[in-house]
Amino acid sequence: MVFKVLLSLSFTFLLAAFAEAKPVWITQDFQAGKCVELASGDVDKGEDYIKRKCLSFPAASTWIEFHEGVRVSVGFGRLPHLALSNMDAARGNWPIVWGGEKTKGKFVPKVVIARFAYQTEPPIVERLFIFRLLDSGLSCIVGEVASNEKARRIATAAMAKWTCQSEAQVLKY
């Protein structure tokens, strides 16, 4: 009887392991996909900003707002919002990494890893920010680390369970 119970439990755990989806990772340029300018300010009136939407995947966009050419704010998901604000706009040519799952042969993004630099005096402080795409169409930051390995571990864990570190700001244009 004990053997049957153990065999049954082993089989259940084996099925659960196979049911767990393995994360899929896709690397893109920061402003990949079809980008459109949503709004821009009149510099002569002291309004120095540009707001963009880059369709990265069906139902997942990169939302970008540049301020005075020196700061950038971003969000990821279906709806216009900013989850990270006032980072250094001279962020380099760092790509972003989308993490998710394949469902019926299609990639469904759940997390994003992106490198940004704080606006500070030299030396520049670069960090990897991990964003969780929420069912609401917004995103939030779930982690901030220095290494790619740690970022990938946090992003993988955030696909199942996460705690937002702050709320997103709705992007108006």
Side-chain angles (χ1 to χ4, degrees):
M1 180 66 162
V2 171
F3 178 74
K4 284 184 181 180
V5 171
L6 288 174
L7 184 61
S8 176
L9 284 173
S10 297
F11 185 72
T12 302
F13 286 123
L14 185 61
L15 284 178
F18 281 117
E20 229 176 83
K22 184 175 179 171
V24 175
W25 303 99
I26 296 176
T27 302
Q28 288 186 339
D29 290 336
F30 177 56
Q31 296 186 59
K34 182 180 178 186
C35 296
V36 295
E37 190 170 302
L38 303 172
S40 62
D42 185 340
V43 177
D44 293 333
K45 293 181 181 178
E47 302 170 342
D48 192 359
Y49 64 86
I50 298 171
K51 298 179 186 191
R52 289 190 180 137
K53 172 187 178 183
C54 298
L55 183 60
S56 304
F57 296 98
S61 296
T62 301
W63 303 92
I64 306 167
E65 184 174 85
F66 291 100
H67 316 269
E68 293 129 17
V70 297
R71 291 175 286 147
V72 64
S73 300
V74 297
F76 302 94
R78 290 188 323 272
L79 300 178
H81 71 285
L82 303 172
L84 177 66
S85 297
N86 297 320
M87 302 308 287
D88 192 333
R91 63 182 295 280
N93 195 23
W94 303 317
I96 59 174
V97 177
W98 295 79
E101 302 169 339
K102 285 268 185 168
T103 303
K104 296 181 183 175
K106 294 185 180 181
F107 177 69
V108 178
K110 298 196 175 280
V111 294
V112 174
I113 301 171
R115 184 179 301 275
F116 292 94
Y118 283 102
Q119 281 201 304
T120 60
E121 295 295 321
I124 302 297
V125 178
E126 299 171 359
R127 303 291 286 175
L128 288 160
F129 290 86
I130 301 94
F131 300 79
R132 167 67 179 174
L133 280 64
L134 306 173
D135 291 336
S136 66
L138 306 176
S139 64
C140 70
I141 296 171
V142 296
E144 173 188 345
V145 295
S147 78
N148 290 325
E149 185 180 309
K150 286 182 183 177
R152 190 88 41 129
R153 277 199 314 262
I154 292 170
T156 300
M159 288 186 207
K161 183 180 177 185
W162 71 93
T163 301
C164 292
Q165 295 179 352
S166 61
E167 288 188 34
Q169 169 193 351
V170 174
L171 182 62
K172 296 178 180 148
Y173 55 93

